[in-house]
Amino acid sequence: MTPPVVLTIAGSDSGGGAGIQADLKTFAALGAYGTSVITAVTAQNTLGVTAIHPIPVDIVAAQLDAVLADFPVAAVKVGMIGDPAVAALIADRADRLPNLVVDPVLVATSGARLADTAAVAPLVSHHCVLTPNRQEAGALTGSPVETPEEMVAAAELLAKRGARAVVVTGSETAADVLWHDGAAETLRGESVPTANNHGSGCTFSSAVAVRLAAGDSVPVAVRAAKRYVTAALSGGSDWRLGAGPGPLNHFI
């Protein structure tokens, strides 16, 4: 059977743990065919990001148009954008991007700041599944997001701007908040004792996109993605790759 085609629009991680590399591994592990549009090249490893080179917007547009002209894309995950002009380009093509999942990559799992809110602003109001972590939700709403109550409030506020659904991730207890159809749901999960969490946000949003491409509803897709990330964290918990937080085991 021909696999569903999923597109990632994101930055490249030279260390292979996050970004385009994590997205494509997730797609492959979950049975989708991955295509990609690279928005930036980062010099990155488990210790952090040392340089970022944005891809010119015309080259991003050429990549995107080439993929859309030839492949039956069933879902799209957007990660690191970096340049507001690229966000505007993606927003302009949004009606051609089915099952859009936007991971507003502003703050890496390591805490490194990768972009400002202007870089994702044109997309936040689109009919997408928005998947910020707590720090990104705080940056987008202008208020701290630490407690479960603040996670719910942030998810509701972001949904009111136009998102199809919002998932705020990253609580200390592995409980995420899903806002969908006008109501909040707390998604509880297993906390995995591991320092190897580099790329967990990219992996989660990519897994959501794959499940949406397969025809799942948003709540079903989000729950399945959460289970997959938990398994990938557990599967790579004993790995020793690099001197900092290592990657997940996508092929568990």
Side-chain angles (χ1 to χ4, degrees):
M1 181 179 293
T2 302
V5 177
V6 184
L7 167 64
T8 170
I9 305 174
S12 170
D13 172 4
S14 55
I20 289 283
Q21 288 81 353
D23 298 342
L24 292 176
K25 284 186 279 188
T26 301
F27 297 165
L30 297 179
Y33 179 81
T35 56
S36 63
V37 170
I38 299 177
T39 60
V41 174
T42 71
Q44 185 174 171
N45 55 29
T46 64
L47 296 174
V49 179
T50 58
I52 300 174
H53 175 69
I55 302 299
V57 66
D58 59 327
I59 301 300
V60 176
Q63 294 176 79
L64 181 57
D65 291 342
V67 171
L68 295 178
D70 193 42
F71 292 92
V73 174
V76 180
K77 174 265 173 81
V78 176
M80 179 184 178
I81 297 173
D83 183 350
V86 172
L89 165 73
I90 299 167
D92 185 60
R93 305 284 204 282
D95 61 342
R96 300 171 60 194
L97 305 177
N99 290 314
L100 184 62
V101 179
V102 176
D103 180 17
V105 179
L106 304 173
V107 183
T109 304
S110 64
R113 188 69 181 235
L114 299 176
D116 59 34
T117 56
V120 298
L123 287 173
V124 170
S125 61
H126 275 270
H127 189 65
C128 66
V129 178
L130 191 65
T131 65
N133 60 32
R134 287 182 301 165
Q135 293 83 1
E136 289 158 347
L140 291 170
T141 61
S143 300
V145 179
E146 298 292 339
T147 67
E149 294 77 15
E150 289 169 344
M151 292 172 72
V152 170
E156 180 181 9
L157 179 58
L158 291 170
K160 287 181 176 178
R161 295 179 183 176
R164 176 183 181 186
V166 179
V167 189
V168 179
T169 66
S171 78
E172 301 298 334
T173 60
D176 302 326
V177 170
L178 167 64
W179 185 277
H180 183 249
D181 282 343
E185 178 182 356
T186 299
L187 306 176
R188 305 193 184 281
E190 176 188 353
S191 182
V192 179
T194 178
N196 295 332
N197 59 1
H198 181 55
S200 55
C202 302
T203 299
F204 173 75
S205 56
S206 294
V208 171
V210 172
R211 296 313 314 164
L212 292 175
D216 286 352
S217 67
V218 169
V220 170
V222 169
R223 293 188 197 103
K226 186 172 176 62
R227 290 193 298 270
Y228 172 68
V229 171
T230 299
L233 285 166
S234 180
S237 61
D238 293 330
W239 285 5
R240 295 294 178 267
L241 294 172
L248 286 63
N249 180 357
H250 291 87
F251 296 97
I252 36 88

